[in-house]
Amino acid sequence: MLTRRDTIAIGLGASAVALLPVGAYATTTEEAIAAYTGGAEMAEGGVTITAPEIAENGNTVPISVEAPGATEIVLIATGNPTPNVGRFTFGPGSGAPMIATRIRLGRTQDVMAIAKMADGSFASTAVEVKVTIGGCGG
Amino acid sequence: MTDVRPRIRLPRSASAGDSIVVKTLVNHDMESGQRRNSAGETIPRQIINRFTCEFNGTMVIDVALEPAISANPYMEFEALVPESGEFLFTWYDDNGEVYTATEAFEVS
Amino acid sequence: MQHLKPARTLALASACVAALWTGAAFADPDLSAELVIDGELHITTRAPSDDITPNLPERYSGWLFRSAETRDLQADDFENPAMLAVEDGADLWETADGSNGQSCMDCHGDAAESMAGVRARMPHVNDAGVLWSMEDYVNNCRTERMGAEAWRWSGDEMTSMTSFISMQSRGMPVAVQIDGPAEPYWEQGRDMYYTRYGQLELSCASCHEESWGLNIRADHLSQGQISGFPTYRLKNAGIVSMHNRFRGCIRDTRAETFAEGSDEFRALELYVASRGMGLAIEGVSVRP
């Protein structure tokens, strides 16, 4: 079954760069993507991001990514001044191409995951995470 | 910062050849290099920039971390355990220090 | 405390009331959520109201007001980052310090026995009739018995120690004494709770009694219960003490605030704790 988030992810995966939201650090994000893929085409689908739709605090946002068949996953926060978040390389002892971690998001933005497949091709997806700017905290 | 103290969680048991979920947490400020102190000076970047996990010498995962990883970095991933042995976890700090932890794991 | 001319103050106050009411659509506490630590330990997050809180229909832990992702962090002792502080506190418990060469453990033994229930009774009037918070008891041991220096109220050592001691009461209901020698302190705290502070003229009650469940700008207001403290705040990526939280709240009303460890905050701590009687001590919680 497709959820709303999956639908967004598939839609964005098709042309992730073209659909960068207004206000994203487009140049640095594009640079980060190009630096990683060398400008190669990125397939849609095959990568799943699980993240909160609304993060209560951008300082600690739980996120997980899985990409069956991937040898490496790169996480990019398109709205952060420095978009690179991390590069996760799966070795021969890996049990599954998945990772869960906690990340910093400066504001509401798309978080993108690019997976490098065993054959050297790339696939990507992105989801929007709304970040609460308030800070009194409840 | 107090001493770096890695925390590791492995499942209680697994069979040979299983894929198991590994969770790690280490106390570290992950100072981004983008904050300023009260005097307006930039606080220098100091993060864990690399994390690796090996099982019996075989690489499980090798992570390059950026300042956008939250303080007290948390990593969850899956590892193959073809036989009993030992996990080796390594965190690399910007200041050159390397923190390691080992954890024995028995398969049934 | 700063004061503005009346007209300006009114405008600010009404702007704030408007802000309090926006976003109410998805702002109720999630009463279907149950806090079970590691699938084993059930933590009481709802308790019946009584004469202390006639304006609350029921008492709710702040945990119920948080997002599912934040709640999950507290339901797993491994994923809860506050446990780093608890482990530091456990080490400090056993570490000798000061001119007498003693550790906490040398006098108090196994904290799981000697400290069980202590957090649930804090703050507590001491033998000299003075209301003390847990931090005061810790520092009294350090300076009077150990010959060590007092720790800063919100320093890493103190928050690690209070986190560790609080864990020994996890799951026990809040049970502070509010009568007898504690009564004048409790009354002082109650008066503070209903006093409007700052340029925004907000009392504790404005947000946490009259408006819990609503949003203030993007923040979801809880009942302001402190049964979860010390808490790991995602915003700070560290442990926050009750008095640090009080200071932040009063600062957010745009007021000059009281100091951590002040008599005012001790009294307020007692009163606010009493508003949560019956809720379980959460040991160390996770909040945004």
Side-chain angles (χ1 to χ4, degrees), chain B residues 2-31:
Chain B
T2 47
D3 291 343
V4 170
R5 178 198 300 277
R7 302 185 82 214
I8 315 288
R9 181 185 273 180
L10 303 172
R12 286 193 181 89
S13 61
S15 302
D18 278 359
S19 174
I20 64 168
V21 174
V22 180
K23 299 178 178 183
T24 69
L25 186 72
V26 65
N27 55 322
H28 195 282
D29 288 344
M30 293 294 281
E31 189 61 57

Side-chain angles (χ1 to χ4, degrees), chain C residues 2-288:
Chain C
Q2 297 191 3
H3 290 281
L4 295 175
K5 288 175 184 173
R8 178 86 173 120
T9 312
L10 274 176
L12 272 173
S14 55
C16 197
V17 167
L20 281 171
W21 284 90
T22 53
F26 63 102
D28 294 322
D30 184 350
L31 298 183
S32 68
E34 285 189 44
L35 178 51
V36 184
I37 309 284
D38 291 343
E40 293 171 357
L41 178 63
H42 288 255
I43 300 290
T44 302
T45 55
R46 299 168 65 173
S49 192
D50 62 18
D51 292 348
I52 299 170
T53 49
N55 299 322
L56 295 181
E58 192 177 6
R59 292 170 179 161
Y60 300 134
S61 160
W63 184 82
L64 293 169
F65 293 82
R66 305 330 325 174
S67 72
E69 291 83 8
T70 307
R71 291 201 305 261
D72 286 349
L73 288 177
Q74 196 182 326
D76 183 319
D77 275 353
F78 186 83
E79 298 195 11
N80 183 344
M83 292 302 162
L84 292 164
V86 172
E87 290 184 359
D88 281 342
D91 279 357
L92 287 168
W93 181 264
E94 301 176 0
T95 305
D97 194 10
S99 56
N100 295 340
Q102 284 185 307
S103 69
C104 306
M105 192 168 67
D106 288 335
C107 286
H108 297 289
D110 182 0
E113 290 179 21
S114 63
M115 293 295 120
V118 167
R119 162 69 179 87
R121 296 192 295 272
M122 290 287 150
H124 187 77
V125 174
N126 67 16
D127 293 341
V130 178
L131 181 68
W132 273 4
S133 300
M134 194 196 293
E135 288 89 342
D136 297 304
Y137 286 95
V138 170
N139 268 342
N140 184 64
C141 271
R142 289 184 56 77
T143 57
E144 302 305 311
R145 296 192 197 179
M146 298 167 69
E149 284 188 18
W151 282 329
R152 279 196 308 117
W153 197 273
S154 279
D156 284 346
E157 295 94 346
M158 182 62 90
T159 55
S160 294
M161 181 57 70
T162 57
S163 294
F164 173 69
I165 295 174
S166 290
M167 275 294 284
Q168 316 310 319
S169 299
R170 182 159 74 168
M172 298 180 184
V174 174
V176 285
Q177 184 188 10
I178 62 172
D179 57 2
E183 192 171 350
Y185 296 106
W186 184 82
E187 287 177 350
Q188 180 190 355
R190 183 191 57 195
D191 290 347
M192 286 181 69
Y193 191 88
Y194 289 100
T195 299
R196 290 175 177 270
Y197 291 101
Q199 294 176 334
L200 295 180
E201 295 193 348
L202 291 169
S203 67
C204 305
S206 305
C207 286
H208 298 296
E209 183 171 277
E210 298 163 21
S211 308
W212 57 269
L214 304 178
N215 276 34
I216 181 162
R217 298 185 64 192
D219 281 310
H220 193 182
L221 286 171
S222 72
Q223 290 182 347
Q225 298 289 358
I226 54 175
S227 44
F229 281 76
T231 189
Y232 185 94
R233 271 197 81 183
L234 302 180
K235 175 184 175 182
N236 302 54
I239 300 290
V240 168
S241 68
M242 286 172 232
H243 288 201
N244 185 286
R245 172 70 272 192
F246 291 159
R247 194 179 65 175
C249 274
I250 294 193
R251 181 200 57 218
D252 288 350
T253 71
R254 301 184 194 166
E256 295 273 350
T257 180
F258 304 100
E260 296 173 353
S262 61
D263 291 343
E264 288 86 354
F265 277 168
R266 287 190 189 91
L268 185 61
E269 180 187 335
L270 176 61
Y271 175 70
V272 175
S274 78
R275 294 175 62 92
M277 284 211 260
L279 293 173
I281 296 297
E282 295 174 21
V284 279
S285 62
V286 182
R287 300 286 187 266

